[in-house]
Amino acid sequence: MKQPFFIILLLLLTSTIFAQDVTISGKITDGTGNAVPFATVYVKNTTKGTSANSEGGYTLNLKPGQYDVQYRAMGYKQESRKVDLKTNQSIDIVLKTEDYQLKEVSIRAGAEDPAYAIIRKAIKKRKTYLNEVNAYTCEVYIKGLQKLLAAPKKFLGVDVQKMARENGLDSNRRGIVYLSESQSKYSFMRPDKVHEELISSKVSGSNRAFSFNRASDMQVNFYENLQVWEGLSNRPLISPIADNALSYYKYKYAGTTIENGETINKIQVIPRSEYDPCFSGYIFILEDSWRIQGLGLYITKKANINFVDTLKVSEQFFPVNGNVWMPASLKFEFTGGLFGFKIGGYFISLYKDYDIDPKLDKKQFAEVLRITKGVNKKDSTYWEQERPIPLTDEEKTDYKKKAVLAAKRESKPYLDSLDKEHNKLSLGKLLIGGYNHRNRYDHENYNFNSLLSSVSYNTVEGLALGYGGSFTKQIDSVNNRYLNIYGKVHYGFSNKLFNATGGITMPVGSAMLSLAGGSDVVDMNNREPVSSLMNTAYTLLNRQNFEKLYQKQYASATISKRIYGGWQAIAGAEWANRKYLSNTTDYSFFHPKGHEFTSNNPLSPDVDVPLFPENQSFKVNVRTTYDFSNRYETYPTGRRYVPSKYPTIGLSFTKSVKNVFGSDADYNLVSADISKSDIPMGFYGKTSFYVGAGKFFDTKSIYYTDYRHFSGNQVLFYQGGINKFLLLDYYRFSTGDKYLEGHLEHNFSGLVTNMIPLIRKLKLQEIINVNYLSTPTLKNYTELGVGFQTNIGLRVMYGTSFNNKVGGANQAIRIGANF
């Protein structure tokens, strides 16, 4: 009873507070009566402000008092209004086009444009303004909207018209597909610590979802040399005032104007090459201080950005606490299209209530993001009071229409109807995609493998069928955790062996427990470097049987848990009976010259002698990793830890115990590794590395299946990775003594060359993969030799992306060369 009473009391108090505010509202237009979209409105000498919507409408909530309200938009003269605010007022504003005056300078033919002197001064001050504020807090409002501007009636057999109607679009398949708003409290501490708490979130068409809008994703700082916009661009984008900007940009002086006593220089920025990762547009620099006052830039598909054809970014700054200027608003606008679909939209963020000298504790930055329950449950009254950018009529209609759809979508009859349609059985599903039976309301899912993926062929089993399925159910909706039960049966038609396996994975407290067991035919290399599908193709078509198999009967248990922050651990135990299998068939579709099947013994390819006798093992293993990061995001479903910028260190120990459950194996293995993927190298791409080493000791009895194995590759198709080797035999370098392996991969992603007109539209991608492996040579399966053999694999791949349009699609052609 106390909680409802407290909520009612809180609502009454907040309603009283809201009632103290009064509102200025109106419409902002230009001299011809057209709306000026997203004009900035703020109170002079404060950080309180708002923005007009896409139709020029604005509202600004303030306490009663006297204010100097300023209206500003790029390309227009600033307007000011002094208001004595006692009751709600309506003030319409007309903005006149800004007239930038050219300075009286004489420019001789061939002389440098005056813009270059201004830009050099701005570049010189870049680091000063980059490091000007050590910490700050502010409140951020973000609004995102995406619209479908055009779409075909059908696409790949899918009825787009029907889907559009079900999602509230018009008969021409046009309308809003995503509309959201969010409010956050944002904190920053140099050099890169951020904390964001989502205060409220609203998504049109969903009562449960949270907005994708994040203030940290909208942080753009053109005082940084490079703008790293992951996903949007494979390459970092170069700021117009970067230290090396003069090598990438040309500049034109466009004039000067006076605003609030400040002289503002308008500079046009032009990429020297239209295919470089550079912006076009205008940047506004304050005279004397040489800081950025605003910018209006854009970048197009020619610069090899992803997903969209054109992206515009507009940012305006205002003074905070004297001479410090901070962002007032930031807006991204985009358009794009593919396969007859055309989209457009924007994301805009407004900043207010800056504190540039806050008392912050470094410990609070361990939590990067906090989203608590209820932030997406704020009602329309709340949003009418708190929303700084008024909704357009189209947006109001979208919210209302999709609220009805949302209630319908969350009802059991609707979810059952979706499941009924989704769960229809078809021959195509059985053969290719597999069959999936869903129960959305009860959060249950049954999955059955496709028949084609269940068929394989190898020289040990001949034609083999391995069919499996799984059942998944959400059993903890608070922490979003699931129970998973799975099983598989497997039969080889040539060796006539039937096998079956199964297992279960489930949460136990804060840990995950996995139990598994059964009998199966598995790869002697437990890294499974070659897939069953690839081995089948090479066996039947090229008479090469890469996969070496044995029968394993086993029972295992594994438990995994995050100990604290970036420290994780996993422990397990397994009993297994291992039985060597011989080839039982030598059939293939083709018989290329010089190609002959090898035995199932990888160390004796010409004679099929058993590599190991039938044996049993009981082993326990423990592994722990630490990534030097305790940063996490908090959601209503629990924590999600953020990947660290530091390498991950791993330690592992395995002990096989003799005579436990008849175990024959008796050895110990200790290993360590360090790795890191996608280390940013600025304009020069990303680097990944992996180094691992291990040592077997007190080895009294060990078998080939217990060895340390490596992920090699001997087929035409190669799936890269930081712990995989390009030109390594799958089995020959496996060791039961000691090993050292190292991998280095550097990705010069999207480097552009403009050397000749033929390749102006090409995106050049170079990947260098250097692998080093050192293990003792195996003389035979019972004796370990002395000395080391080294395998060094070098891969250089040049990938070229031709931007040829075929039905609106970008076609990618990649050419590879291996050394």
Side-chain angles (χ1 to χ4, degrees), residues 151-211:
K153 289 185 177 181
K154 288 192 175 183
F155 178 72
L156 296 177
V158 176
D159 190 341
V160 179
Q161 183 79 31
K162 179 182 177 183
M163 290 179 60
R165 185 172 61 253
E166 291 175 348
N167 286 276
L169 305 184
D170 64 23
S171 59
N172 293 315
R173 303 166 301 286
R174 292 185 301 219
I176 297 173
V177 293
Y178 176 76
L179 171 61
S180 70
E181 298 171 277
S182 66
Q183 293 175 300
S184 300
K185 179 75 173 180
Y186 186 76
S187 303
F188 171 84
M189 180 180 289
R190 194 160 299 284
D192 58 1
K193 297 182 183 297
V194 298
H195 172 75
E196 181 178 356
E197 181 174 0
L198 196 65
I199 299 169
S200 57
S201 172
K202 185 176 180 66
V203 180
S204 181
S206 177
N207 297 324
R208 298 182 181 180
F210 297 96
S211 170

Side-chain angles (χ1 to χ4, degrees), residues 291-350:
R291 66 163 74 243
I292 300 173
Q293 184 261 359
L295 53 87
L297 303 173
Y298 68 91
I299 192 166
T300 68
K301 200 71 175 178
K302 288 182 179 180
N304 289 302
I305 57 175
N306 303 319
F307 307 116
V308 298
D309 296 330
T310 302
L311 176 73
K312 298 178 181 179
V313 54
S314 303
E315 189 171 23
Q316 295 192 41
F317 295 79
F318 59 2
V320 178
N321 288 14
N323 293 325
V324 176
W325 288 60
M326 299 294 287
S329 65
L330 174 66
K331 176 167 61 75
F332 288 95
E333 292 181 88
F334 54 87
T335 58
L338 187 67
F339 298 123
F341 292 88
K342 187 175 181 181
I343 62 167
Y346 65 84
F347 281 89
I348 183 170
S349 56
L350 303 179

Side-chain angles (χ1 to χ4, degrees), residues 603 669 692-696 702 704 707-710 728 731-741 772-781 783-791:
L603 305 183
L669 169 63
K695 170 70 173 143
F696 288 85
I702 190 172
Y704 184 80
Y707 285 8
R708 166 66 181 192
H709 302 280
F710 305 95
L728 184 70
Y731 304 95
R732 190 158 58 94
F733 293 98
S734 298
T735 181
D737 184 11
K738 52 183 174 287
Y739 69 90
L740 169 68
E741 58 178 327
Y772 174 80
L773 170 69
S774 179
T775 68
T777 306
L778 290 173
K779 290 185 175 177
N780 55 54
Y781 67 93
E783 180 182 353
L784 293 178
V786 230
F788 285 83
Q789 280 199 5
T790 302
N791 173 275

